[in-house]
Amino acid sequence: MTKLTLISSAIFSVLCSQSALAATVTGKVMDDKNQPIKNASIHVHGKNQSVKSNDLGEFAIEIDANSQLHISKDNYVDSRIAVSESSNNLSVSLKPTSVETVVVYASALHKNSLEMISPVSVLSGDELRNKSKPTLGETLKGLPGVNASYFGPVSSSPIIRGLDGPRVKITQNGLDASDASRIGPDHATSSDSLAAEQIEVLRGPSTLLYGSGAIGGVVNVVDNRIPTSNIDDLTGAAEYSHDTVSNANTVAAKLETGNDGFNFHFDGTKRSGDDYQTPNFTITDDDGDVEKEASVENTFIDSETLNFGTSYVGEHLTVGFSYGSIDTDYGIPGHEHHHEHDHEGETEEEHEEHEDEEAEEAVYAHLEQDRWQGLISYALHNNWIETINLRVGYTDYSHSEIEDGEIGTTFKNETTETRLNVEHKLGQWHGMIGYHYSESDYDAIGEEAFTPASVTTTHALYLLEEREFGNVTIELGARVEEYKIKSNITESEHDHDHDKEEEEHDEEESIAYSKRFTNVSASAGAIWQYTPGQSVALSLSHSERAPLSAELLSNGLHIATGTYELGLGYQIEDNEAHFEPEDIEQEKSTNLDLSFRRFNGNFGYTVNFFYNDIENFYFQENTGLVYDEEDGLESAIGAHDDAVAVYQFTSKDAELYGIEFDAHYQLTSSAMVKVFGDSTRAKLKDDEGNLPRIPANKLGSELQYDLGDLQLTLTGTHYFDQNDVTAFETKTDGYTLFDAQANYQLGLGTVDAQLYINVDNITDELGFVHSSFIKDKAPLPGRNFRFGVRGYF
């Protein structure tokens, strides 16, 4: 009771505190030719207060202490200016750039995309809406260094520099997406790009803020479901589109309004589509028969999302709450079950009848998610504390696999997460100290529950500091994370006596398992603006990651991948798996990034070189055994045709290195050309071979041309052959995709409307994705025409 009283008193004091000082700062925003810039955004650092410059570039904004103003405008480099109560008649000059600059919310220190030390890409605005696909992986795969796992177009997760699954953190407004996409590639991510304001991709380790699950990078989906700026008018947007390749229809809408500091947000999306069409390809079935196909069966989607949010934004205090729901049915390609009968002693007619009954039954997934989030932010502006920010989230996720109208397996994940950040300034250092708590309660029930129920809890403290030394900014950070996993492991011992024809007896033993890890991460980096508009950045980081439940505790048949999976905690003796979790060590990554950037004038580029040395890299390795339902684990030699390969998670030292680049040149005021590409090499050390399912290298070019109200884009991307494979992989041939877009601006008074048409895979190229578990069964979609209209008011 005493604690509750103290907390209530503290909150009451915060709510009732008033500004001690107030002053109005005035100024003017000009370009490099001394011409006024209209509608530039002027924002007080650490607060949710901002204004726009008028037709003459003039602005006036109130501050209550020594502050920093952040001035930004599309197609100009941002500017940051220190101000005090006596500042007045400021003159701000912004330099033009052909690279869009946006604030990266995942950076935590309000940096824009050009100020980041770590490599980052941001999709926003019309570019995001034009590239939006049903999954995050397909939406982002064109970015340098980013690819997709591609378990069909409705279940595709991002791969960053060859790393995916548990090594890529997917967040929504900085909090974990909390789905089951890390458990298996057939589990779709729960983040919808249609409702997003922008999507941020942080390459390289981002474990300092986001935990050990971000050892490879972070994908942060930013939306405005909790408004953090006051909305004075009723605004909204609506969009409809149709895709011919899958006969898909998509409808999306958004409404926002506010009054006297109170703000409200709503958005919703409805998408439905059939199996997608492909160029002609062949499939070899289990009996060795070759079949010709022109579509991928069981790739339909029927999805609805709804998001509501509200907030109060005051001079110092912001309080908000949101609720979001997802209800999706989608087909899982290559995921069928066979029902077999004993044909011995049957007549020919009975045999044929039972053969018909043994037809493959398609399995589809039903995904449901309820997500609640809360935000409390308070700007103090005292001598050293700038802002206190608290985000909390609770997610109830369920993924059921439906076969013949009945639930076969259900995966559940309930996640509670809290993130408390205190932004501060100590002398010349600006930074953040924070606490991060997360608890994930995972369960799987049914015939494909290959991973047992588990509870994973993390507590972490982290610190991030930066300081400017002239044109050089250095950044230092550290994180200490306590990671604990608990589960009950059931082991069955099978006793067969075929000579006496006795029934099978199972003796089950339950083992209470608990393991605790301490993950320590640290980083150091610097960016040098050696000349206006050009910079070089260097960062070095060390990250540690403990195994997830699927990597540690798996023991069962995973039909989606056609394998029997065993976790790190199992030892195989005499073709039997025993749970003996001894000497399991963390995955430890040491990553070096070197970036060169130019972003002023007509020519610009970003080139990133990276090297990642990983100790105890977790991956699945073929054991040479197979699993049969009657005989269990046995040698693959002479095994039954229906037996599946046994893969076990193991840990070995690995290294990944490569390059990614994005360059552009403004040919004329109406035409721009871009060139982009990436190359990743991933292998085990000591000449032990390559890592599996590493994406092929890619090289692309894009031409943008504006004809008044008509904007045209043509993109060509070549994916090279992938010949660096493991002993149990097949090589993948390269392919080239050409895409085109045309947007036409409609003049409808106060409504900003666009008509658009996208043509994907213009040449109807047949392409197979090397990183896919089912690459031979699910090639990329064929030629697709996407028609749509969108409007804003």
Side-chain angles (χ1 to χ4, degrees):
M1 187 66 181
T2 303
K3 290 184 177 180
L4 290 176
T5 302
L6 291 173
I7 293 174
S8 301
S9 300
I11 294 176
F12 182 79
S13 298
V14 166
L15 293 174
C16 294
S17 59
Q18 299 292 326
S19 171
L21 298 172
T24 299
V25 174
T26 61
K28 192 172 184 178
V29 184
M30 313 292 286
D31 62 17
D32 59 338
K33 297 179 181 178
N34 207 33
Q35 296 298 309
I37 298 178
K38 177 185 176 182
N39 286 331
S41 176
I42 299 90
H43 173 255
V44 180
H45 172 70
K47 297 178 65 176
N48 294 314
Q49 182 184 3
S50 64
V51 297
K52 298 285 188 180
S53 59
N54 61 18
D55 292 346
L56 299 177
E58 299 168 338
F59 69 89
I61 190 168
E62 289 189 356
I63 64 171
D64 53 20
N66 293 343
S67 307
Q68 184 187 77
L69 296 185
H70 178 204
I71 301 95
S72 61
K73 173 69 174 177
D74 291 346
N75 301 320
Y76 290 89
V77 180
D78 292 12
S79 178
R80 300 177 186 270
I81 298 177
V83 294
S84 65
E85 291 89 340
S86 60
S87 299
N88 218 342
N89 296 323
L90 299 174
S91 180
V92 182
S93 179
L94 299 183
K95 296 183 178 180
T97 176
S98 52
V99 178
E100 183 179 9
T101 61
V102 293
V103 174
V104 180
Y105 292 90
S107 70
L109 294 178
H110 316 287
K111 293 187 176 182
N112 66 46
S113 52
L114 302 180
E115 298 170 328
M116 294 283 292
I117 294 176
S118 300
V120 62
S121 294
V122 180
L123 281 181
S124 61
D126 287 340
E127 183 183 14
L128 171 59
R129 285 181 278 272
N130 289 334
K131 294 182 178 180
S132 179
K133 297 292 192 299
T135 64
L136 276 180
E138 292 304 289
T139 299
L140 301 173
K141 70 177 184 180
L143 297 176
V146 184
N147 289 275
S149 60
Y150 200 76
F151 207 91
V154 294
S155 180
S156 183
S157 299
I159 299 175
I160 301 178
R161 295 177 171 177
L163 301 177
D164 65 345
R167 299 178 183 88
V168 173
K169 192 80 161 181
I170 298 176
T171 63
Q172 187 260 327
N173 294 330
L175 296 181
D176 198 323
S178 304
D179 51 36
S181 59
R182 296 181 178 188
I183 302 301
D186 57 323
H187 296 182
T189 60
S190 60
S191 299
D192 193 332
S193 60
L194 280 176
E197 301 285 331
Q198 66 185 46
I199 301 178
E200 306 163 349
V201 180
L202 278 68
R203 303 179 187 85
S206 301
T207 55
L208 294 181
L209 294 177
Y210 296 99
S212 57
I215 202 169
V218 168
V219 176
N220 186 40
V221 180
V222 180
D223 57 45
N224 199 39
R225 66 179 63 176
I226 300 181
T228 54
S229 296
N230 280 321
I231 304 171
D232 298 323
D233 301 311
L234 175 65
T235 63
E239 179 175 2
Y240 167 78
S241 66
H242 176 78
D243 291 79
T244 60
V245 76
S246 59
N247 192 32
N249 294 290
T250 303
V251 179
K254 179 177 74 172
L255 287 174
E256 293 183 335
T257 188
N259 182 48
D260 197 23
F262 291 92
N263 309 280
F264 304 91
H265 170 95
F266 161 80
D267 70 74
T269 303
K270 169 68 176 177
R271 174 189 278 121
S272 61
D274 302 327
D275 296 345
Y276 73 92
Q277 306 298 308
T278 69
N280 293 329
F281 70 104
T282 59
I283 292 181
T284 303
D285 62 21
D286 295 335
D287 298 326
D289 297 329
V290 177
E291 299 178 359
K292 293 184 177 180
E293 301 288 347
S295 66
V296 177
E297 296 182 358
N298 206 29
T299 53
F300 73 92
I301 186 172
D302 189 357
S303 176
E304 293 182 1
T305 65
L306 289 174
N307 298 300
F308 302 90
T310 184
S311 68
Y312 170 77
V313 179
E315 186 70 15
H316 292 268
L317 178 68
T318 297
V319 180
F321 169 82
S322 72
Y323 166 75
S325 71
I326 301 174
D327 193 327
T328 299
D329 290 334
Y330 67 92
I332 308 176
H335 195 335
E336 295 88 13
H337 294 315
H338 298 265
H339 292 277
E340 299 186 354
H341 298 273
D342 185 1
H343 297 292
E344 186 176 353
E346 290 182 344
T347 65
E348 184 175 349
E349 292 181 355
E350 291 174 333
H351 180 80
E352 291 178 354
E353 179 182 349
H354 284 163
E355 276 191 335
D356 291 338
E357 293 176 1
E358 290 176 8
E360 294 179 348
E361 294 183 357
V363 178
Y364 72 92
H366 179 62
L367 185 157
E368 291 182 301
Q369 178 175 283
D370 294 302
R371 185 177 181 89
W372 292 265
Q373 286 191 352
L375 167 68
I376 300 177
S377 179
Y378 189 78
L380 282 79
H381 276 300
N382 64 13
N383 291 332
W384 63 282
I385 296 181
E386 294 183 329
T387 305
I388 300 175
N389 186 287
L390 174 67
R391 281 192 179 271
V392 296
Y394 173 78
T395 303
D396 186 358
Y397 171 92
S398 174
H399 170 108
S400 297
E401 296 184 352
I402 315 297
E403 177 190 1
D404 196 23
E406 297 182 356
I407 297 177
T409 308
T410 297
F411 301 88
K412 296 183 177 180
N413 191 23
E414 293 185 26
T415 302
T416 303
E417 188 174 11
T418 299
R419 183 182 297 277
L420 176 65
N421 293 330
V422 178
E423 191 174 350
H424 58 264
K425 190 170 185 180
L426 300 175
Q428 299 298 314
W429 290 89
H430 172 227
M432 175 178 293
I433 186 171
Y435 166 74
H436 184 203
Y437 165 80
S438 176
E439 180 181 86
S440 175
D441 188 348
Y442 165 81
D443 195 7
I445 305 169
E447 59 182 7
E448 291 187 44
F450 58 93
T451 302
S454 62
V455 177
T456 304
T457 306
T458 62
H459 297 269
L461 293 174
Y462 52 88
L463 179 68
L464 188 64
E465 301 289 338
E466 67 173 6
R467 181 178 175 180
E468 295 182 359
F469 294 88
N471 294 329
V472 176
T473 301
I474 66 171
E475 185 178 282
L476 305 174
R479 177 186 176 105
V480 179
E481 175 184 277
E482 182 187 77
Y483 179 98
K484 183 178 181 182
I485 183 170
K486 296 192 302 181
S487 181
N488 286 317
I489 310 300
T490 300
E491 282 196 319
S492 299
E493 296 185 1
H494 306 291
D495 181 19
H496 300 278
D497 190 345
H498 297 290
D499 294 335
K500 297 183 180 181
E501 297 182 355
E502 293 181 354
E503 294 182 356
E504 179 181 336
H505 298 281
D506 292 346
E507 296 181 3
E508 293 188 348
E509 179 185 1
S510 181
I511 303 173
Y513 175 74
S514 178
K515 179 68 174 178
R516 189 185 304 270
F517 298 88
T518 300
N519 300 318
V520 178
S521 300
S523 71
I527 184 170
W528 175 31
Q529 304 279 352
Y530 58 89
T531 190
Q534 299 186 53
S535 66
V536 58
L538 178 67
S539 64
L540 177 66
S541 61
H542 173 80
S543 307
E544 297 180 352
R545 183 176 79 87
L548 295 183
S549 60
E551 297 170 310
L552 181 61
L553 308 176
S554 291
N555 182 10
L557 184 64
H558 192 180
I559 296 180
T561 59
T563 61
Y564 190 95
E565 297 188 2
L566 283 174
L568 289 162
Y570 284 87
Q571 301 292 330
I572 300 176
E573 297 178 3
D574 298 326
N575 290 351
E576 290 188 357
H578 300 282
F579 188 66
E580 299 176 4
E582 300 176 357
D583 302 326
I584 296 176
E585 298 183 5
Q586 293 117 307
E587 189 177 85
K588 300 178 181 179
S589 168
T590 301
N591 189 86
L592 179 68
D593 262 293
L594 177 62
S595 300
F596 298 91
R597 303 168 189 164
R598 175 190 171 103
F599 47 85
N600 64 336
N602 294 327
F603 176 63
Y605 57 79
T606 298
V607 182
N608 305 318
F609 298 92
F610 67 91
Y611 177 82
N612 198 352
D613 184 284
I614 305 180
E615 182 181 348
N616 303 319
F617 184 84
Y618 306 143
F619 70 104
Q620 288 178 299
E621 188 174 51
N622 194 310
T623 62
L625 301 175
V626 296
Y627 171 79
D628 183 81
E629 290 185 358
E630 294 183 0
D631 300 324
L633 303 184
E634 59 180 353
S635 173
I637 301 175
H640 193 275
D641 292 341
D642 291 338
V644 298
V646 177
Y647 279 76
Q648 183 173 21
F649 282 96
T650 186
S651 62
K652 295 182 179 180
D653 295 345
E655 59 180 353
L656 298 89
Y657 52 88
I659 182 176
E660 54 205 17
F661 63 91
D662 185 356
H664 66 272
Y665 182 69
Q666 191 79 37
L667 299 172
T668 68
S669 60
S670 301
M672 176 185 287
V673 63
K674 293 183 178 181
V675 179
F676 58 89
D678 58 53
S679 175
T680 298
R681 186 73 175 93
K683 59 183 181 180
L684 296 171
K685 288 188 172 181
D686 301 323
D687 296 324
E688 292 197 42
N690 301 303
L691 291 177
R693 292 179 301 280
I694 298 301
N697 301 332
K698 68 174 181 279
L699 177 64
S701 181
E702 182 174 291
L703 175 64
Q704 299 177 0
Y705 195 81
D706 292 345
L707 290 172
D709 292 330
L710 179 64
Q711 293 85 44
L712 302 172
T713 303
L714 176 64
T715 306
T717 307
H718 178 70
Y719 293 84
F720 292 86
D721 297 345
Q722 180 54 288
N723 299 318
D724 297 325
V725 298
T726 66
F728 300 97
E729 280 188 299
T730 58
K731 298 178 181 180
T732 304
D733 293 334
Y735 53 92
T736 303
L737 301 179
F738 290 98
D739 306 320
Q741 299 174 358
N743 290 359
Y744 184 74
Q745 305 288 331
L746 299 175
L748 299 178
T750 59
V751 177
D752 178 13
Q754 293 179 355
L755 285 175
Y756 63 88
I757 178 173
N758 295 358
V759 187
D760 301 323
N761 194 2
I762 296 173
T763 60
D764 205 31
E765 178 86 350
L766 179 62
F768 296 91
V769 181
H770 184 78
S771 53
S772 172
F773 275 89
I774 56 170
K775 69 171 183 177
D776 296 326
K777 296 181 179 181
L780 291 170
R783 185 185 299 111
N784 176 44
F785 293 89
R786 182 185 180 192
F787 308 90
V789 58
R790 63 173 70 105
Y792 310 90
F793 63 90

